[in-house]
Amino acid sequence: MSATAALSQGSQTTVTPKQTAIDKTKALLTTFFTDQQLSKILDRLAADIYANKSLKDSSATLITSAGLTAAQTLVLVKLASGSTGAPLTKVNAVLLRRFEPYYKNISQKILAMKKSGKTQSECAKQVHVMVAGYLTKANVTPILTDIKAGLTSTEWQFVKLHGASLFLWSKHGL
């Protein structure tokens, strides 16, 4: 149940930083993943940061840690092997380049927390807080605009058609 649904039902449920990050991801970036899949991705991200993994190393396993459905896998395979020259590779390159500075910032904070004796659970919660804080339209729109700019016209049409559920292009005027 999303945080919004819990609140609309009048429940006394406290919205966790992780649920806030999930809700903001689904509102601003993608509806491709379920809440449970996004929860697994956030857990893996927090664990990778705590283990001092680079963004490149972490990103290689983040999506696969979510337990994709056959339909989701098919979308990704289609985008990765499209006749237009593997546009998913270009999309991933833009994402890595754009998220790298922010990932390093999160990593520095989490590693300092770890060094000061904070538990892995406390550090994970802080990762969720920081991810939720980063997920704003002002931060997401330029990233999606860069993705579009990095693709040829044919690749963009292919990604927009076959990856429509992957990113919420229309919410950002794309």
Side-chain angles (χ1 to χ4, degrees), residues 24-43:
K24 288 179 89 174
T25 298
K26 292 180 89 172
L28 290 168
L29 189 59
T30 183
T31 56
F32 186 73
F33 303 102
T34 66
D35 282 18
Q36 289 110 342
Q37 289 171 325
L38 286 170
S39 178
K40 287 179 184 178
I41 289 169
L42 286 167
D43 288 344

Side-chain angles (χ1 to χ4, degrees), residues 64-174:
T64 57
S65 71
L68 299 178
T69 66
Q72 288 170 316
T73 302
L74 185 61
V75 168
L76 294 177
V77 167
K78 185 168 213 141
L79 288 172
S81 61
S83 62
T84 59
L88 189 59
T89 302
K90 290 182 177 182
V91 169
N92 285 336
V94 170
L95 291 173
L96 283 172
R97 180 175 47 82
R98 291 300 302 250
F99 285 126
E100 181 77 29
Y102 193 69
Y103 185 91
K104 284 182 179 180
N105 183 33
I106 293 174
S107 293
Q108 289 172 348
K109 181 164 185 134
I110 298 307
L111 293 175
M113 288 176 67
K114 181 179 175 181
K115 188 175 180 179
S116 74
K118 298 293 183 189
T119 66
Q120 187 167 355
S121 177
E122 290 170 310
C123 291
K125 185 175 180 181
Q126 185 60 38
V127 168
H128 302 149
V129 167
M130 293 178 78
V131 168
Y134 182 77
L135 290 170
T136 65
K137 191 167 186 174
N139 286 332
V140 173
T141 299
I143 293 168
L144 295 181
T145 302
D146 275 2
I147 289 171
K148 180 182 178 186
L151 300 171
T152 66
S153 176
T154 304
E155 290 169 338
W156 167 244
Q157 291 307 316
F158 184 83
V159 167
K160 197 168 178 186
L161 174 67
H162 297 289
S165 64
L166 194 55
F167 294 110
L168 298 172
W169 305 109
S170 64
K171 286 203 176 205
H172 304 277
L174 301 170

